[in-house]
Amino acid sequence: MFRYFISREFFLTLLGLIVAGVLVYLMIFFWILPAYTRHGDSIVVPSVVEMSWDEAEKELSKMNLKPMLTDSAYNPDLEPGSVLAQYPRQHSFVKPNRTISLTINQRKPPQVPVPAIIDKTLYQAKAQLESWKLAVGKVTRKKDIAENTILDILYDGRRVKAGTMVPQGAKIDLIVSDGQGSVSVRVPDLTGLNFEEALNSIRELGLTLGALSYNSNGPANKSGIVYGQNPKPTRSDSVTVGYPIDLYIYGRAPETNEGI
């Protein structure tokens, strides 16, 4: 048995098997596989973006390719029904009869919600509107104590709330504060209150404490009580936020202004 493995006949048989294997490999790689995959038979994909569906279909069919509608989106700058995107992309190499997926521009824009931008700055409002593919329309300034913030939003001349559905690309008009306005409040009646109560009332209304005048000749049991003020409280008059209120108080002036 050992003599066979070292014989000339064994080596010739082994050599024949190796040659046969190489020939089978070359035949598969260079003949059978190329014939099956049509190697070397490829088409350059043309660009059909911005064409109408009919134009794209004719162009692809002429190149022995098959168009297929797979998606839709919206672009206001292109004609409705035109091609927005394709896959495979232009200049790609594909086999004949390959399907080319097309994204078509919608005929009507999709509806999107108006974002919550009330009390946001104008910069923040613009960014949020753009993120929803909405445009900033007319910006109108309105007197208000706040500065450069959104007071109101309008679409098509009507006031709208956050969440209102509008067409994508719609122009949203903005009412923006100018920071130069003033808020008025009615002058409170502080007479009969002690100083601490009067001071709290002034601060709660956004007013400021003005001059203090003390009357040491007043009733002893009313020491620290406000008996007058300037301006006086009326039903019709009002003052702007931050306006000073002078107080007239029974008793002696305190030695320090601590707590004022």
Side-chain angles (χ1 to χ4, degrees):
M1 186 71 177
F2 176 73
R3 290 181 180 179
Y4 173 75
F5 288 111
I6 61 174
S7 66
R8 185 168 178 271
E9 182 181 357
F10 170 76
F11 284 108
L12 289 175
T13 302
L14 182 61
L15 180 60
L17 291 174
I18 293 173
V19 172
V22 171
L23 290 175
V24 170
Y25 171 78
L26 293 175
M27 183 174 64
I28 293 174
F29 187 79
F30 288 103
W31 181 56
I32 298 177
L33 188 60
Y36 179 75
T37 61
R38 304 181 71 174
H39 183 68
D41 187 8
S42 60
I43 297 172
V44 178
V45 177
S47 174
V48 295
V49 173
E50 298 189 11
M51 292 184 182
S52 68
W53 170 263
D54 291 339
E55 291 172 336
E57 187 176 30
K58 289 179 181 178
E59 182 67 21
L60 293 174
S61 297
K62 183 173 64 177
M63 301 297 293
N64 200 18
L65 299 171
K66 297 178 180 179
M68 175 180 288
L69 174 61
T70 57
D71 199 3
S72 63
Y74 181 72
N75 186 335
D77 298 326
L78 294 179
E79 289 293 325
S82 59
V83 178
L84 294 179
Q86 65 180 78
Y87 183 83
R89 296 180 180 179
Q90 62 180 15
H91 306 317
S92 301
F93 289 92
V94 298
K95 301 299 179 186
N97 295 316
R98 172 68 185 268
T99 297
I100 307 299
S101 301
L102 302 181
T103 299
I104 300 299
N105 195 25
Q106 296 178 2
R107 298 191 178 278
K108 292 184 178 180
Q111 298 286 306
V112 296
V114 175
I117 55 176
I118 296 294
D119 294 332
K120 299 289 181 68
T121 66
L122 180 58
Y123 176 82
Q124 292 171 327
K126 286 182 177 180
Q128 284 191 258
L129 288 171
E130 289 173 359
S131 69
W132 284 101
K133 297 183 179 180
L134 296 171
V136 176
K138 182 179 179 182
V139 176
T140 303
R141 296 285 176 173
K142 181 179 179 181
K143 286 188 176 297
D144 191 88
I145 194 170
E147 183 176 359
N148 207 40
T149 58
I150 307 301
L151 301 176
D152 219 340
I153 47 181
L154 300 94
Y155 169 65
D156 199 21
R158 296 173 297 175
R159 181 181 299 173
V160 293
K161 297 180 180 179
T164 301
M165 303 301 290
V166 298
Q168 180 181 307
K171 290 185 177 181
I172 305 300
D173 298 330
L174 303 176
I175 308 298
V176 184
S177 62
D178 62 0
Q180 299 178 6
S182 59
V183 177
S184 298
V185 294
R186 184 173 295 176
V187 178
D189 185 358
L190 304 174
T191 56
L193 303 179
N194 62 40
F195 173 72
E196 185 176 353
E197 293 171 338
L199 181 60
N200 288 337
S201 295
I202 289 172
R203 289 175 173 172
E204 286 175 0
L205 292 172
L207 303 173
T208 58
L209 179 64
L212 297 177
S213 298
Y214 289 88
N215 183 356
S216 58
N217 296 322
N221 62 345
K222 292 190 177 181
S223 179
I225 301 299
V226 175
Y227 68 88
Q229 65 183 76
N230 184 42
K232 296 181 179 180
T234 62
R235 292 184 177 181
S236 58
D237 292 343
S238 60
V239 293
T240 58
V241 169
Y243 195 89
I245 305 295
D246 300 333
L247 297 180
Y248 300 90
I249 305 171
Y250 286 125
R252 294 181 178 275
E255 294 181 1
T256 65
N257 292 329
E258 184 177 354
I260 297 178

